[in-house]
């Protein structure tokens, strides 16, 4: 995870809803794995884990709408592995009720604002006004590659493909693949409708591919291979170098001075600047007849 630009650097340090979303999804998936793959010693243990699943799923739902892929992925796994009997207990339904109750603020806010958030997000998948096109799809895939970093993105997809080939013969890998498939498939294929979806929407999918790649690397190491160490070491150096590049550009703007043509549409590193300096800026107010409007002079 720390070797990816998106999950390790952006979602791991920026103030975005994806950080708490990924944390909550990881907690829920871990508790679900205990319920599915570790034999229960007593029913009370299962009850506690289901409560963790419900609370974590609710926290994910409060973070971002991507949380819907968690129950869909779990249901897909249970159906394909013939484990639907797990839902006969009242605990999964209590977990679902807890998650739904925690997400009530999302629904009530939308009800009070003409379902603005729901309409905005669903409108991104509407292809009627754009038509079908391959260009946004290719741009989105290239964006995912850039966000994850190409030398990590390729192995992640390879690990997912390996899990898909093993299928139900390896239920643990299949579990992770079911959780990863939703955001990866939906948010990539929707771009075929002409919508230019953002490449970071697939982040939760890559979250669940990471353990598959980790398991594959561990297997190679246990068989005496040394290249995983070299790959991880060189990837860490590359990530640190890229982070240093971004931080120094944000602090000093040296790339802008050397190659101003790269930033004709603006310098994106400005988004990382703090606003604390505004305390000493020239701040005043305008007083029209019906309102007070603050302004900043730079």
């Amino acid at each position: 995870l720390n070797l990816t630009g998106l999950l390790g650097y952006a979602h791991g340090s920026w103030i975005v809803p994806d950080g708490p979303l990924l944390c909550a999804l990881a907690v829920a998936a871990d508790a679900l794995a205990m319920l599915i793959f570790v034999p229960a010693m007593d029913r009370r243990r299962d009850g506690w884990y289901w409560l963790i699943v419900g609370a974590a799923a609710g926290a994910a739902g409060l973070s971002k709408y991507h949380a819907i892929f968690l129950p869909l992925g779990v249901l897909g796994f249970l159906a394909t592995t013939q484990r639907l009997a797990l839902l006969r207990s009242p605990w999964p339904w209590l977990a679902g009720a807890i998650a739904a109750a925690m997400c009530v603020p999302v629904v009530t806010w939308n009800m009070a604002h003409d379902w603005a958030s729901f309409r905005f997000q669903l409108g991104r998948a509407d292809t009627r006004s754009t038509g079908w096109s391959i260009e946004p799809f290719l741009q989105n895939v290239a964006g995912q590659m850039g966000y994850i970093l190409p030398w990590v993105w390729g192995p992640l997809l390879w690990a997912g493909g390996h899990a898909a080939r093993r299928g139900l013969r390896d239920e643990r890998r299949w579990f992770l693949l079911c959780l990863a498939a939703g955001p990866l498939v939906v948010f990539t294929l929707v771009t075929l409708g002409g919508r230019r979806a953002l490449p970071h929407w697939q982040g939760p999918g890559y979250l669940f591919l990471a353990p598959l790649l980790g398991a594959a690397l561990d297997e190679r190491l246990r068989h005496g291979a040394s290249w995983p160490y070299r790959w991880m070491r060189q990837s860490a150096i590359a990530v640190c170098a890229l982070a240093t590049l971004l931080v120094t550009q944000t602090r000093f703007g040296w790339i802008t001075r050397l190659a101003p043509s790269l930033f004709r549409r603006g310098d994106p590193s400005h988004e990382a600047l703090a606003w604390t300096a505004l305390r000493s800026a020239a701040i005043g107010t305008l007083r029209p007849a019906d309102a007070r409007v603050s302004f900043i002079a730079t």
Side-chain angles (χ1 to χ4, degrees):
L1 287 175
N2 288 326
L3 295 179
T4 66
L6 179 65
L7 304 177
Y9 182 76
H11 293 172
S13 62
W14 295 355
I15 303 175
V16 290
D18 304 80
L21 168 72
L22 297 179
C23 178
L25 290 178
V27 170
D30 183 63
L32 284 165
M34 291 292 295
L35 289 164
I36 295 171
F37 299 114
V38 179
M41 300 298 293
D42 57 66
R43 293 185 177 181
R44 287 179 298 177
R45 189 217 70 159
D46 281 7
W48 281 112
Y49 275 112
W50 278 116
L51 293 178
I52 293 172
V53 170
L62 288 173
S63 302
K64 212 166 183 180
Y65 294 140
H66 286 61
I68 190 61
F69 291 109
L70 176 68
L72 294 178
V74 173
L75 287 175
F77 171 80
L78 296 178
T80 53
T81 57
Q82 299 181 352
R83 291 176 180 266
L84 289 174
L86 194 68
L87 301 180
R88 293 175 183 172
S89 165
W91 287 109
W93 303 100
L94 177 60
I98 291 172
M102 290 178 64
C103 294
V104 165
V106 178
V107 179
T108 55
W109 184 92
N110 272 279
M111 291 176 63
H113 294 83
D114 194 27
W115 305 100
S117 181
F118 286 147
R119 288 190 294 106
F120 172 73
Q121 298 295 347
L122 292 175
R124 290 177 164 185
D126 185 3
T127 62
R128 289 174 295 179
S129 60
T130 55
W132 297 94
S133 174
I134 192 66
E135 181 184 353
F137 171 81
L138 296 176
Q139 289 179 344
N140 187 264
V141 172
Q144 294 177 52
M145 187 187 308
Y147 277 29
I148 297 296
L149 299 179
W151 57 88
V152 184
W153 179 79
L156 282 173
L157 290 188
W158 172 86
H162 179 65
R165 288 192 299 271
R166 294 183 66 89
L168 299 178
R169 292 175 295 166
D170 191 333
E171 290 190 343
R172 286 170 170 79
R173 283 182 169 84
W174 185 250
F175 172 71
L176 290 167
L177 189 62
C178 287
L179 295 182
L184 287 175
V185 173
V186 171
F187 292 128
T188 302
L189 292 185
V190 73
T191 59
L192 288 172
R195 292 291 180 179
R196 300 184 184 277
L198 298 177
H200 72 270
W201 290 352
Q202 292 86 349
Y206 289 109
L207 169 71
F208 293 116
L209 290 186
L212 296 174
L213 178 56
L217 292 172
D218 179 68
E219 184 178 352
R220 300 302 187 279
L221 289 171
R222 286 189 285 107
H223 284 82
S226 60
W227 65 262
Y229 281 125
R230 293 195 302 272
W231 176 80
M232 288 186 285
R233 187 184 303 113
Q234 292 166 4
S235 296
I237 293 172
V239 169
C240 290
L242 288 171
T244 301
L245 189 74
L246 292 172
V247 170
T248 54
Q249 162 62 17
T250 302
R251 178 64 181 85
F252 302 109
W254 61 275
I255 302 178
T256 306
R257 291 196 296 271
L258 290 176
S261 61
L262 295 176
F263 301 101
R264 280 193 288 257
R265 296 185 179 182
D267 184 353
S269 67
H270 290 168
E271 298 290 338
L273 296 177
W275 287 73
T276 51
L278 293 181
R279 295 170 185 161
S280 59
I283 300 178
T285 57
L286 297 174
R287 291 184 176 85
D290 57 347
R292 171 181 287 185
V293 181
S294 297
F295 69 92
I296 302 164
T298 60

